[in-house]
Amino acid sequence: MLAAYAARFAADDPISALEVGERPEPVPADGWVTVDVKATALNHHDLWSLKGVGLPEANLPMILGCDAAGIDPDGNEVVVHAVISDPEWKGDETLDPKRSLLSERYQGTLAEKIAVPARNVVPKPAGLSFEEAACLPTAWLTAYRMLFTQSDLKPGDTVLVQGAGGGVASSLITLARAAGLRVWATSRDEGKRAKAVEIGAHEAFESGARLPERVDAVMETVGQATWSHSMKSLKQGGTLVISGATSGQAPKSAELNRIFFLQLRVQGSTMGTRTELAELVQFMANAGIRPHIDSTFALADAREGFAKLNAGDVFGKIVFTV
């Protein structure tokens, strides 16, 4: 079957480690099913894998990808949940020490077929195309958990989304607006600021700009470059939820004095649960929300999509059709 996979690692030139070609079809284990992939989406996780981050060399070659929508063996249209927990684990699978994501220990979704535990598929909403549904399992699920599980936000509160443009950030903007929050966003790029307002932000500011007032919560995926601004933007008792650090993980200052004096809460967040994915799907159906797709490529042209993401010229998700 056709697949996009990591054949080796290249820290400085990740695209050179990407191969698009034939790989063996998956053979499902007991309790697993094979999904015929119709669409799959790209994440920064895939670029990091090509750089050798989080992917053991012993697991190469590894088909990349965490996101997919397709057809299960019974002919149902489904969305694939990417978090694989231990079969014996009970409760929130993101807290399982033995958990992994598709494309880390098990072959990923950038292929014509994917094998996953039967519990890892949820019904695809009829109102979403396969391309739109494929955007949900990583970026949109991460955003949903950040907003509705980890932040303690309530309708009417103000939330700041750092780094508008990325898949998680754009998802946060739209979900927060639909939930009745006042949404502010930042970006270095004027075009991305305009786009942020178009998809739901009430206002958008230059990165690092002084805000009209402090906010109840900050959604942080940028990390090092925006950390100080995030801390200074919170009101007393506010919450910073962080799910990524694309600009680096070592800010000049952890702002410890500010954290304890203002009683701020710093909350980590990683992916989401199958239950949260099902809730997200229903929320989007009820609210009439559709994912933001930056561009669509055929899987055979995956290299073009990877290059576009690596260049950073993206607003929303890059999707591959199968």
Side-chain angles (χ1 to χ4, degrees), residues 79 123-129 131-144 148 167 170-172 174-176 178-179 276-293 317:
V79 182
K124 180 182 81 66
L128 292 181
S129 67
E131 291 84 355
E132 291 168 332
C135 299
L136 303 184
T138 299
W140 283 79
L141 178 58
T142 297
Y144 182 90
F148 304 123
S170 59
S171 308
L172 283 162
T174 299
L175 289 173
E276 287 168 332
L277 179 58
E279 292 170 352
L280 165 66
V281 166
Q282 190 61 53
F283 178 75
M284 296 186 72
N286 292 346
I289 299 171
R290 292 182 177 274
H292 318 297
I293 296 178
K317 296 295 292 179

Side-chain angles (χ1 to χ4, degrees), residues 135-256:
C135 299
L136 303 184
T138 299
W140 283 79
L141 178 58
T142 297
Y144 182 90
R145 182 177 177 88
M146 291 174 75
L147 281 170
F148 304 123
T149 302
Q150 307 288 36
S151 72
D152 292 333
L153 285 165
K154 60 186 183 299
D157 286 347
T158 301
V159 60
L160 173 66
V161 179
Q162 295 280 25
V168 175
S170 59
S171 308
L172 283 162
I173 291 167
T174 299
L175 289 173
R177 180 64 180 257
L181 299 167
R182 181 168 63 162
V183 187
W184 291 345
T186 68
S187 176
R188 294 173 299 175
D189 183 270
E190 182 179 355
K192 289 183 178 180
R193 293 197 296 273
K195 188 69 174 177
V197 172
E198 181 182 326
I199 66 171
H202 291 84
E203 293 187 69
F205 306 91
E206 286 193 45
S207 297
R210 184 180 180 88
L211 303 179
E213 62 186 75
R214 291 180 177 174
V215 302
D216 296 284
V218 177
M219 301 293 114
E220 177 66 82
T221 61
V222 180
Q224 183 172 309
T226 55
W227 185 261
S228 181
H229 183 253
S230 292
M231 283 287 148
K232 292 173 182 175
S233 297
L234 284 168
K235 62 175 56 172
Q236 292 197 25
T239 300
L240 186 152
V241 183
I242 179 168
S243 68
T246 56
S247 67
Q249 61 177 342
K252 292 181 179 179
S253 172
E255 307 277 350
L256 295 181

Side-chain angles (χ1 to χ4, degrees), residues 289-312:
I289 299 171
R290 292 182 177 274
H292 318 297
I293 296 178
D294 175 273
S295 49
T296 303
F297 301 88
L299 180 60
D301 300 321
R303 188 175 296 276
E304 294 180 43
F306 272 82
K308 185 175 177 67
L309 181 63
N310 192 46

Side-chain angles (χ1 to χ4, degrees), residues 86-160:
D86 186 275
E88 302 302 318
W89 180 260
K90 305 298 182 184
D92 185 333
E93 58 265 37
T94 68
L95 299 178
D96 178 8
K98 298 180 180 179
R99 78 182 189 276
S100 68
L101 291 180
L102 290 172
S103 77
E104 293 179 347
R105 191 179 307 156
Y106 305 102
Q107 299 294 321
T109 60
L110 299 186
E112 294 178 319
K113 296 178 183 290
I114 175 71
V116 294
R119 65 181 181 274
N120 276 59
V121 297
V122 303
K124 180 182 81 66
L128 292 181
S129 67
F130 284 112
E131 291 84 355
E132 291 168 332
C135 299
L136 303 184
T138 299
W140 283 79
L141 178 58
T142 297
Y144 182 90
R145 182 177 177 88
M146 291 174 75
L147 281 170
F148 304 123
T149 302
Q150 307 288 36
S151 72
D152 292 333
L153 285 165
K154 60 186 183 299
D157 286 347
T158 301
V159 60
L160 173 66

